[in-house]
């Protein structure tokens, strides 16, 4: 069923069916691996069987001699260092391996079968090196330094690596006088929290197919959220002129940050170049996607909060240690994001924080839905629960008392403006949804039902110059084509964008056709489909393009209508005089040029151009963190009810509620889908989606039979509620909402489970065994 | 993908299967019998499958039996677990089968593959271990039917070149009081920390369970402890003491939690079958 527009005719706030729905449910959407290029060769990668080791020898003789093998390559053959922010990573390991599963050798062959057979015949000799097992271990003075050449790595100015150590980036926040405020505090609580690295587990594993044409043109088709990012990074690192490098991004089967940045593209390109330019396919198996490509960072953190007796927060001292794994990738910016948002959505005037990205011998980490804010929120909200317990104060009241609002300052000393969302209203709605006031625990024998609440905020962690572009053109019937650099990653972006465009033009969204495959040589530059910024920024660019086209339409129509341009308006597929609507033309008579009765023509095809660049963002001061990193803050609250059997540790999550201030809801069904999906992902993140390592830091659960994600039948009841305080610089007042639903989930589940067992649970994943053990500790080992 | 070539046989009767296996073995192809094949595929993908010849048993009619007759309930080795679940002739077997993998996989995964395959849990075998079941085996020396417990030592001990044709229990066993429960680390679709079946025949209680140790446990000494005197909790603890050393720790759970779950499950089982 197609939704209708609202009573006032608006296309906003209406659940139009997704433009990609029918093809997706019929299995007809074409993803990267559905394009098989003639002459394409296949790759098999040999992963490291060690977490940290020197590569002593690689014997590729037998593999290279096999029929159908075009080449067997090692890191020595592909001498480039690539990185998103910090150029620390070779396409294949050189000299040493830094994590279990790191690609060491690549075999290129006629078929995947031959490539895999040859890969099994490559012999690699390693000499084990002592492994860095956690970020805290990595900071020890005697820790092995994983990147001895860090001083020579190229990096962007916004991050601050510390050569000679394992610190890939450090973000410092110094606001007010925390030491003095702690002295004045009536109550101080401190806690340490931790969880291991995890993974996105996208339905579509990563893949890139690269080809070097005879004239030097490089074409890469890739499962990427960041076609322009890939172009920029590869052209800089490898000296390919950007105009000679085209990245094609078809529909992506889930990204969650894991396909932002640069992934398999450099390896595919280097291999293609090495075999004379033939198309080379590099495709992750599920296991390689879990272990060899980057996942979510782990964390060790420490939070100290100081408050007055009445619960007013006055001081915070915070340390976030991010487990970046063997390479920095996006993790250096993830740690930065946790730094600039470090207090959560609470007013705290005196703050010291160090957010550090540390190399370890774990799988390397990249962007993951929530991007630093999920780790930050988990830590801060755990400490808030400790504070409420210490004060004997209702956790909801404590949060309402400190809820951030317009006029307060962020950790980076920005004053929040009137666009700031209404956190108190979000808290009120969530507490109502889980019926907080009827009691937070309920016990029947061994079974306890308990509730929890958490607040969260998130601002996109983006370059100061983050941009977007859009172009509109028209068809014979007056319908619109929208071309942008936005990638469909499952979020339904083209449906939202078509509603924005349709609203501005006063037409049906069905009349807006979106170019759904991004090719970097066609659409103008767009930063990346990440950070929940696409509807906001590309929406703004699209509105600009519409306005530009409308001006052109009026200019063309003014002549045959013999009216001043400024008297014309465009709506409902027509251009007409605002106060005499009968004087007008159908858009179909104008958008490709107007033709007079005698055959004379004017105008020509209308092309609207729109662009956007982030406003007033600035770098953070390296010593104090002062600066403006956050374009818009999406603020919200989450609440859950869980049921725990304290005797066995078995649990159920009964209800999960989220209230979020999104500015303006463009498509309610899509918005709800994003938030429900994010909450579900957060349940998995909290309860099971974590890597386990043996005593040599090798991954034990690198397969989906062991690495569990949530299934149908394991979901709670979801309640989603939106508050609409307009973001006045967003399209029709909208702000980002794609990731935010996950941000409070580890915190809110930890709060509820802690309440159920009667003990603060400061580690994840939270499993029945952990609940059982904690319950026994509370009971003093009874039963 | 499976990156190697295999020889695939699909014999239409038991004799052809035995011959095919022997020939492939003589050629050094390390043959395996194949029923549903779900585990063979996953291990082959992972390069952990040495066999280069597979003898598919699915055309052999005896392997598809699913019937009650002559006083026995017989299930062929090639019957997919979902058929057992849906038929529900023996509720204990239906429940234990339903615990294995997920619905989609159980459409293919068979009793024989689960009971005599490569994974150590064998949850669909457990009811036959407690129900004094019999196994019909075919091999170079002919076809034989033996008590399941007689050939069970951590797994079914088949002779070289022999395969499982069917498992059966007496019709009386179908109505005996029984108990089943299953615990996982967290996700329901996962290998068990404890998957327990228990059945009472008069005064004799038998238990068989998977997940607690590295292999399914079914031992007379343990059954004697369960069938002896004392409260259910005391008997459960005594039974666990018999195999305490074998309880394992791994990435799914520690031995202490497994032991707790097992003890609780055995006590709950005793209450159920004696209640």
């Amino acid at each position: 069923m197609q939704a209708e527009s609202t009573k006032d005719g608006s296309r906003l706030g209406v659940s139009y069916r997704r433009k990609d729905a029918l093809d997706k449910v019929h299995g007809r959407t074409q993803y990267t691996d559905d394009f098989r290029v003639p002459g394409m060769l296949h790759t098999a990668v040999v992963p490291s069987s060690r977490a940290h080791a020197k590569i002593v020898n690689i014997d590729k003789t037998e593999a290279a001699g096999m029929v159908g093998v075009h080449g067997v390559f090692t890191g020595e053959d592909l001498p480039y260092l690539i990185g998103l922010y910090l150029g620390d990573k070779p396409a294949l390991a050189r000299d040493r391996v830094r994590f279990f599963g790191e690609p060491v050798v690549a075999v290129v062959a006629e078929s995947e079968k031959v490539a895999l057979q040859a890969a099994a015949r490559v012999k690699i000799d390693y000499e084990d090196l002592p492994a860095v097992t956690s970020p805290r271990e990595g900071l020890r003075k005697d820790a092995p330094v994983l990147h001895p050449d860090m001083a020579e790595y190229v990096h962007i100015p916004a991050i601050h690596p510390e050569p000679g150590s394992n610190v890939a980036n450090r973000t410092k926040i110094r606001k007010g006088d925390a030491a003095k405020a702690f002295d004045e505090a009536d109550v101080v609580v401190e806690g340490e929290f931790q969880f291991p690295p995890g993974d996105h587990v996208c339905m579509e594993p990563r893949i890139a197919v690269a080809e070097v044409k005879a004239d030097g043109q490089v074409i890469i088709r890739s499962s990427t959220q960041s076609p322009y990012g890939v172009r920029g990074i590869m052209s800089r690192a490898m000296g390919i002129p950007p105009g000679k490098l085209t990245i094609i991004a078809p529909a992506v089967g889930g990204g969650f940050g894991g396909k932002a940045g640069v992934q398999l593209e450099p390896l595919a390109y280097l291999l293609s170049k090495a075999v004379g330019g033939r198309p080379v396919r590099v495709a992750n198996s599920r296991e390689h996607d879990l272990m060899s490509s980057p996942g979510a960072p782990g964390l060790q953190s420490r939070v100290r909060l100081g408050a007055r007796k009445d619960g007013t927060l006055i001081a915070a001292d915070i340390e976030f240690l991010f487990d970046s794994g063997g390479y920095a990738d996006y993790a250096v910016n993830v740690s930065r994001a946790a730094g600039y948002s470090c207090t959560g959505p609470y007013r705290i005037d005196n703050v010291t924080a160090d957010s550090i990205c540390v190399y370890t011998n774990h799988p390397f980490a990249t962007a993951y839905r929530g991007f630093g804010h999920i780790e930050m929120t988990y830590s801060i909200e755990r400490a808030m629960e400790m504070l409420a317990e210490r004060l004997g104060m209702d956790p909801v009241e404590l949060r309402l008392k400190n809820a951030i609002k317009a006029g307060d300052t962020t950790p980076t000393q920005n004053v929040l403006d009137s666009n700031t969302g209404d956190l108190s209203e979000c808290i009120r709605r969530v507490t109502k949804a889980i019926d907080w006031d009827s009691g937070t625990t309920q016990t029947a024998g061994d079974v306890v039902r308990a509730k929890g609440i958490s607040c969260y905020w998130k601002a996109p962690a983006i370059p100061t110059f983050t941009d977007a572009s859009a172009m509109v053109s028209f068809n014979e019937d007056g319908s619109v084509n929208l071309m942008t650099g936005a990638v469909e990653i499952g979020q339904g972006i083209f449906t939202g964008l078509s509603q924005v465009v349709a609203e501005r033009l006063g037409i049906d969204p069905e009349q807006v056709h979106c170019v759904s495959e991004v090719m970097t040589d066609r659409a103008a530059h767009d930063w990346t489909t990440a950070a929940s910024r696409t509807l906001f920024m590309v929406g703004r660019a699209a509105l600009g393009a519409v306005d530009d086209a409308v001006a052109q339409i009026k200019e063309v129509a003014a002549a045959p209508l013999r009216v001043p341009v400024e008297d014309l308006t465009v709506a409902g597929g027509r251009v007409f005089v605002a106060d005499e609507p009968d004087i007008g033309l159908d858009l179909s008579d104008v958008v490709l040029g107007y033709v007079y009765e005698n055959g004379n023509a004017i105008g020509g095809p209308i092309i609207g151009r729109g662009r956007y660049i982030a406003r007033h963002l600035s770098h953070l001061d390296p010593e104090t963190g002062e600066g403006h990193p956050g374009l818009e803050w999406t603020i919200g609250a989450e609440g859950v009810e869980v049921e725990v059997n304290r005797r066995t540790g078995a649990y159920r999550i009964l209800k999960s509620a989220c209230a979020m201030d999104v500015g303006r809801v463009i498509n309610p069904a899509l918005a709800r889908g994003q938030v429900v999906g994010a909450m579900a992902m957060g349940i998995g993140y909290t309860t099971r989606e974590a890597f386990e390592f043996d005593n040599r830091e090798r991954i034990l659960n690198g397969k989906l039979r062991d690495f569990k994600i949530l299934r149908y039948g394991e979901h709670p009841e979801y309640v989603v509620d939106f508050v609409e305080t307009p973001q006045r610089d967003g399209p029709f007042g909208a702000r980002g909402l794609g990731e935010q639903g996950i941000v409070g989930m580890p915190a809110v589940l930890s709060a509820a489970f802690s309440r159920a067992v009667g003990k603060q649970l400061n580690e994840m994943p939270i499993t029945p065994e952990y609940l059982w053990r904690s319950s026994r500790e509370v009971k003093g080992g009874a039963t | 993908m499976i990156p190697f070539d295999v020889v695939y046989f699909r014999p239409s009767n038991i004799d052809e299967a035995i011959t095919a296996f022997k020939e492939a073995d003589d050629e050094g192809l390390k043959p395996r019998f194949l029923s549903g094949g779900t585990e063979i595929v996953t291990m082959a993908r992972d390069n952990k499958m040495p066999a280069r010849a597979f003898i598919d048993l699915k055309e052999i009619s005896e392997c598809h039996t699913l019937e009650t007759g002559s006083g026995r309930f017989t299930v062929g080795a090639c019957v997919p677990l979902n058929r057992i679940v849906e038929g529900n002739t023996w509720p204990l077997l239906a429940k234990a089968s339903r615990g294995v993998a997920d619905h989609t996989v159980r459409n293919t995964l068979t009793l024989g593959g689960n009971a005599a395959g490569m994974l150590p849990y064998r949850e669909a075998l457990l009811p036959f271990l407690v129900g004094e079941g019999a196994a019909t085996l075919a091999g170079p020396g002919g076809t034989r039917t033996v008590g399941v417990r007689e050939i069970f030592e951590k797994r079914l001990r088949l002779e070289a070149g022999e395969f499982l044709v069917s498992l059966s229990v007496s019709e009386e066993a179908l109505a005996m009081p029984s108990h089943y429960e299953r615990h996982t680390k967290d996700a329901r679709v996962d290998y068990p920390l404890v998957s327990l079946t228990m059945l009472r025949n008069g005064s004799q209680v038998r238990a068989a369970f998977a997940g607690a140790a590295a292999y399914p446990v079914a031992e007379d000494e343990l059954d004697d402890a369960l069938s002896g005197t004392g409260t259910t909790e005391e008997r459960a603890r005594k039974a666990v003491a018999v195999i305490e050393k074998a309880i394992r720790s791994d990435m799914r759970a520690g031995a202490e939690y497994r032991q707790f779950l097992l003890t609780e499950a055995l006590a709950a089982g005793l209450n159920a079958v004696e209640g």
Side-chain angles (χ1 to χ4, degrees), chain A residues 505-579:
Chain A
L505 279 171
I507 57 174
D508 191 291
E510 284 288 303
Q511 293 295 301
V512 182
H513 308 284
C514 297
V515 180
S516 60
E517 187 175 73
V518 177
M519 300 192 191
T520 54
D521 59 352
R522 263 146 253 200
H525 195 269
D526 178 279
W527 173 63
T528 292
T529 298
S532 307
R533 47 62 74 173
T534 311
L535 184 68
F536 184 115
M537 295 189 186
V538 181
R540 277 282 304 263
L543 287 176
V546 170
D547 291 346
D548 184 32
V550 163
Q552 296 172 44
I553 289 166
K554 288 178 184 173
E555 191 189 313
V556 175
L561 292 174
R562 298 173 212 184
V563 296
V565 170
E566 57 271 25
D567 287 4
L568 288 171
T569 194
V570 172
R574 293 181 74 235
V575 52
F576 55 90
V577 175
D579 51 311

Side-chain angles (χ1 to χ4, degrees), chain A residues 112-113 116-117 120 287 647-648 651 687-688 692 700-701 703 705-706 708 711 714 768-769 772, chain B residues 1 3-5 39 42 45-47 102 185-191 251-254 257 260 264:
Chain A
E112 189 173 4
K113 180 175 135 183
L116 286 165
Q117 284 175 344
E287 291 76 17
R647 187 170 167 83
T648 65
Y651 74 85
T687 60
R688 62 193 75 172
E692 299 196 46
L700 290 167
N701 56 341
K703 299 182 172 76
R705 69 171 62 198
D706 302 320
K708 294 293 178 180
R711 287 179 179 246
E714 297 182 308
E769 183 179 15
W772 167 78
Chain B
M1 82 178 318
F4 52 82
D5 294 331
E39 206 50 41
T42 53
R45 259 190 85 240
D46 209 15
N47 242 335
D102 62 35
K185 175 185 177 183
D186 191 340
R188 194 185 62 74
V189 179
D190 196 359
Y191 299 120
M251 65 171 145
R252 287 191 164 75
Y257 188 49
F260 164 79
E264 291 268 307

Side-chain angles (χ1 to χ4, degrees), chain A residues 48-163:
Chain A
S48 166
S49 58
R50 315 295 174 97
H52 193 204
K54 210 176 130 189
I55 300 171
V56 178
N57 185 49
I58 298 176
D59 180 358
K60 51 190 192 181
T61 330
E62 197 187 340
M66 288 177 64
V67 175
V69 171
H70 285 249
V72 181
F73 302 95
T74 67
E76 298 302 316
D77 304 319
L78 316 172
Y80 291 92
L81 284 175
I82 304 143
L84 198 56
Y85 296 115
L86 175 64
D88 63 356
K89 191 177 174 302
L92 295 170
R94 293 183 70 186
D95 305 326
R96 65 160 99 187
V97 292
R98 294 183 174 87
F99 67 96
F100 178 82
E102 178 169 5
V104 181
V105 176
V107 180
V108 179
E110 282 296 327
S111 69
E112 189 173 4
K113 180 175 135 183
V114 171
L116 286 165
Q117 284 175 344
R121 287 171 171 76
V122 173
K123 292 175 198 73
I124 306 170
D125 296 327
Y126 297 101
E127 187 182 302
D128 276 326
L129 296 168
V132 175
T133 60
S134 73
R136 219 174 272 293
E137 288 295 311
L139 291 180
R140 288 168 60 112
K141 288 227 155 43
D142 57 352
V145 175
L146 300 189
H147 288 268
D149 300 332
M150 193 199 282
E152 290 154 37
Y153 294 166
V154 179
H155 68 86
I156 63 161
I159 68 156
H160 310 287
E162 297 175 4

Side-chain angles (χ1 to χ4, degrees), chain A residues 485-500:
Chain A
V487 182
E488 170 55 51
I489 58 172
Q491 81 282 50
I493 185 62
F494 296 120
T495 310
L497 287 174
S498 70
Q499 285 180 248
V500 166

Side-chain angles (χ1 to χ4, degrees), chain B residues 142-261:
Chain B
T143 299
R144 60 180 177 135
T145 297
V146 292
V148 173
R149 285 229 187 182
E150 285 171 45
I151 54 163
F152 179 79
E153 194 203 326
K154 298 183 181 178
R155 59 183 173 82
L156 293 178
R157 300 286 166 175
L158 274 59
E159 303 290 333
E162 204 172 37
F163 67 87
L164 181 68
V165 177
S166 61
L167 291 166
S168 68
V169 287
S170 70
E171 277 197 69
E172 292 82 59
L174 306 185
M176 288 177 193
S178 67
H179 179 72
Y180 167 78
E181 70 177 79
R182 186 175 195 271
H183 300 273
T184 54
K185 175 185 177 183
D186 191 340
R188 194 185 62 74
V189 179
D190 196 359
Y191 299 120
L193 302 183
V194 173
S195 176
L196 170 73
T197 59
M198 191 184 281
L199 184 137
R200 182 170 64 81
N201 182 5
S203 61
Q204 178 69 51
V205 175
R206 291 193 190 280
F209 49 86
Y215 47 84
V217 173
E219 291 189 17
D220 293 343
E221 192 188 343
L222 193 147
D223 293 342
D224 291 345
L226 292 172
S227 307
T229 54
T231 65
T232 52
E233 284 74 20
E234 283 164 3
R235 284 184 279 152
R237 271 200 291 275
K238 257 188 231 166
V240 170
V242 172
I243 54 103
E244 195 175 333
K245 286 197 181 69
I247 296 179
R248 66 165 169 175
S249 286
D250 63 11
M251 65 171 145
R252 287 191 164 75
E256 206 192 343
Y257 188 49
R258 278 190 164 90
Q259 179 164 345
F260 164 79
L261 290 175

Side-chain angles (χ1 to χ4, degrees), chain A residues 210-220 234 238-246 269 272-273 276-277:
Chain A
E211 179 176 7
V212 186
K213 297 278 196 188
D215 64 358
Q217 185 75 29
V218 179
I219 297 166
I220 303 177
M234 284 187 61
M238 293 164 173
I240 312 166
K244 285 255 180 196
L245 174 58
T246 301
Y269 160 71
S272 173
K273 207 167 93 168

